[in-house]
């Protein structure tokens, strides 16, 4: 599987995991467009994965975060055209940024998982 497809799969899974949370536990966006977990989450595997993905998203720059949040982390499934039109970017700029964001996200997630393993060893 390509890096971008793997990252997309992970983000779709993240969105599904978020929908299983109580509304008060959902991550909130800060003024810097970062995600902040509102409550301390338990040590269940699903919650640990939510935390790891949230941290990986927060390691991206603001434009990359904006693309991934708008496209993959929302209650309503949005098309690429809807996303780049709402942000106000050109189609080519959007697709370049989306690809870079997905690759950076996957690298950040893998680093986050490696770090978590070191903590539990």
């Amino acid at each position: 599987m390509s890096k971008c497809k793997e990252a997309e799969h992970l983000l779709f899974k993240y969105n599904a995991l978020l929908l299983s949370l109580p509304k008060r536990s959902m991550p909130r966006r800060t003024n810097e467009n970062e995600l902040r977990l509102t409550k301390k989450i338990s040590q269940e595997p699903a919650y640990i994965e939510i935390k790891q993905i949230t941290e990986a998203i927060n390691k991206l720059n603001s434009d990359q975060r904006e693309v991934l949040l708008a496209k993959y982390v929302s209650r309503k499934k949005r098309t690429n055209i809807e996303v780049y039109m709402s942000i106000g970017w050109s189609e080519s700029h959007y697709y370049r940024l989306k690809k870079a964001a997905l690759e950076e996200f996957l690298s950040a997630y893998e680093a986050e998982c490696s770090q978590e393993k070191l903590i539990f060893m």
Side-chain angles (χ1 to χ4, degrees), residues 24-80:
R24 68 180 183 279
S25 299
M26 294 286 284
R28 305 280 188 243
R29 287 190 189 188
T30 65
N31 290 339
E32 297 80 34
N33 209 22
E34 289 185 354
L35 293 176
R36 182 176 54 84
L37 294 171
T38 55
K39 289 184 68 176
K40 183 164 176 58
I41 57 178
S42 72
Q43 293 301 312
E44 291 181 37
Y47 293 127
I48 291 170
E49 189 158 16
I50 288 171
K51 184 175 186 246
Q52 290 171 333
I53 294 171
T54 301
E55 292 299 321
I57 290 171
N58 286 337
K59 289 182 180 176
L60 303 175
N61 70 41
S62 63
D63 286 345
Q64 291 173 333
R65 266 195 313 270
E66 186 173 1
V67 167
L68 295 187
L69 294 176
K71 174 67 179 162
Y72 301 103
V73 185
S74 63
R75 293 197 180 275
K76 179 183 175 258
K77 187 168 172 109
R78 297 173 72 187
T79 65
N80 287 313

